[in-house]
Amino acid sequence: MTFDPRALLAESRLGVLATIKASGVPQLSPVTPYYDRAAERIYVSMTEGRAKTANLRRDPRAALEVTSADGWAWATAEGPVTLTGPGADPHGPEVEALVDYYRAAAGEHPDWDEYRSVMVSDRRVLMVMTVEKVYGEKIR
C-alpha cells in the first residue's frame, strides 16, 4: 500500500507550524490544523500578537508538519498564507471566517454567541495556507 501524506494531513489535529523570524531562523509553534483536502487549504486559528502571527504578517510563507500517532509517519505541507482578523465585531466577516473554520473542523459549537465573543476578546486570527507542496514518508 502506498503512503498518502495528504491523508495523514487530513486526519491530524496536532501539528507544528514553521514560520520565519526576522533573523531568517525558523520559528516553530504547536498548532491545531484543519486540512481541507478538496480545496488544498490548511486552516489554523491563532492569536494576534504571537510570534507566529507577527512572522506571517512580515513573511507569509509557512510549512506545517504532522506526525502519525505511532511516530512512524510524517507529512509536511508548504505554501503561502493569508491572515484574516482580528475582528472587533462578533458578527463581522473576520469572526464569520473563524465560525466557518470551526464548523468545518469540529462541527457545531454549543454556544455560538460565547464563541464569537471569545474570538473578539482573544483577538483571534484565521490563517489559511494555500498548499503548494506536500511530502512525507511512512518509515514502518
Side-chain angles (χ1 to χ4, degrees):
M1 190 157 93
T2 304
F3 174 66
D4 180 5
R6 284 180 168 80
L8 182 57
L9 281 168
E11 71 187 38
S12 298
R13 290 297 174 264
L14 182 61
V16 177
L17 181 70
T19 61
I20 304 166
K21 296 179 185 183
S23 66
V25 174
Q27 192 267 331
L28 305 175
S29 300
V31 295
T32 306
Y34 170 70
Y35 175 51
D36 181 337
R37 193 170 179 165
E40 283 291 319
R41 295 204 180 348
I42 293 175
Y43 300 85
V44 175
S45 175
M46 54 185 62
T47 305
E48 185 66 28
R50 298 275 169 87
K52 62 184 162 285
T53 311
N55 292 341
L56 290 170
R57 290 205 186 281
R58 190 187 63 265
D59 185 340
R61 296 176 295 162
L64 176 86
E65 186 268 345
V66 298
T67 306
S68 63
D70 65 7
W72 292 110
W74 60 272
T76 298
E78 297 176 351
V81 305
T82 58
L83 300 176
T84 302
D89 175 0
H91 296 281
E94 300 89 352
V95 176
E96 286 302 320
L98 288 158
V99 167
D100 292 344
Y101 152 76
Y102 187 99
R103 279 192 169 123
E108 291 299 314
H109 191 278
D111 187 340
W112 283 114
D113 288 337
E114 176 190 21
Y115 177 85
R116 291 170 184 279
S117 175
V118 169
M119 295 301 100
V120 170
S121 65
D122 284 358
R123 303 185 68 225
R124 300 300 289 189
V125 172
L126 182 63
M127 182 204 88
V128 181
M129 177 194 290
T130 301
V131 176
E132 292 183 340
K133 183 176 182 180
V134 175
Y135 51 95
E137 184 177 10
K138 183 171 177 69
I139 299 163
R140 285 189 186 177

